[in-house]
Amino acid sequence: MTFVLAMLSGLAFLGKGLIRMADDGDICVRTGFWVNATLEDGLPVGKGVEAASSAARLCQEGPSVGQRAADLGSELPWLLFGFVALLLFSQLMNAVVRDGPFTETAARRLSVLGWAVTVGTPVAGLVVGWSQSWLVASMAPIVGSGPEWAGPQVLILAGLAAVIMGRIMREGVRMREDLEGTI
């Protein structure tokens, strides 16, 4: 089941990327940088940009290829992260079903999953934050909010917990092998 979910996530990643790049509509981005700003002449936005300060939202008519790619950067990293995490989880579950939970293979795959989540979470969050801040800066050059870190960063702790559990399981496997060798 997890393998099917991983494949669906991978297909969603590819489909979303292809559909969004082929779309010729407006793109919008939210920013909290100027939500409370009141400027007499309005916000200094680029050509073809509509700004709504009450919603902290900028919309670009006829975006460039770079802006469209930056818009993709706000969604695709998390889809790719989900695909990789689900695929690694599927491999872990297959190893557990095939060989049992307390084996070297299961411990190694749990550690790999933990490292993927620990490293993948901040990387995906930074890519999303940077792409959104670049998109805001391309629409309102003076306003720019600077790079952000987006996403559920609590996953870093979950990934570290999986790494630690993988290490504990690996030591348990070694102890069991030593015990079997002495008996």
Side-chain angles (χ1 to χ4, degrees):
M1 183 63 160
T2 56
F3 182 75
V4 171
L5 289 173
M7 291 302 112
L8 287 175
S9 180
L11 287 174
F13 171 78
L14 292 174
K16 186 79 140 176
L18 292 174
I19 289 171
R20 293 288 290 268
M21 285 305 283
D23 183 20
D24 61 350
D26 298 350
I27 58 171
C28 296
V29 65
R30 291 189 180 278
T31 179
F33 184 74
W34 49 271
V35 69
N36 293 324
T38 54
L39 301 175
E40 293 177 18
D41 299 331
L43 295 168
V45 295
K47 183 178 179 185
V49 176
E50 180 182 319
S53 64
S54 61
R57 182 178 164 128
L58 298 169
C59 291
Q60 174 74 51
E61 295 176 13
S64 67
V65 173
Q67 287 174 323
R68 197 159 297 283
D71 184 43
L72 279 174
S74 65
E75 296 178 24
L76 290 185
W78 290 113
L79 285 173
L80 181 61
F81 172 77
F83 167 70
V84 170
L86 284 171
L87 188 62
L88 291 173
F89 185 71
S90 173
Q91 290 177 346
L92 170 65
M93 289 295 105
N94 287 339
V96 167
V97 167
R98 185 179 59 246
D99 302 327
F102 301 106
T103 62
E104 182 69 28
T105 304
R108 186 178 60 252
R109 290 192 177 170
L110 181 60
S111 293
V112 168
L113 174 63
W115 280 116
V117 170
T118 300
V119 173
T121 299
V123 168
L126 285 172
V127 169
V128 168
W130 285 342
S131 65
Q132 285 180 338
S133 66
W134 184 88
L135 191 56
V136 168
S138 72
M139 291 183 192
I142 297 173
V143 175
S145 61
E148 297 177 4
W149 190 330
Q153 300 308 314
V154 72
L155 290 177
I156 295 171
L157 295 175
L160 289 174
V163 170
I164 292 168
M165 285 304 298
R167 177 69 63 117
I168 291 170
M169 286 176 63
R170 190 171 291 136
E171 289 300 318
V173 167
R174 286 189 190 119
M175 289 172 58
R176 185 181 75 190
E177 289 172 354
D178 288 344
L179 182 63
E180 287 175 357
T182 57
I183 295 179

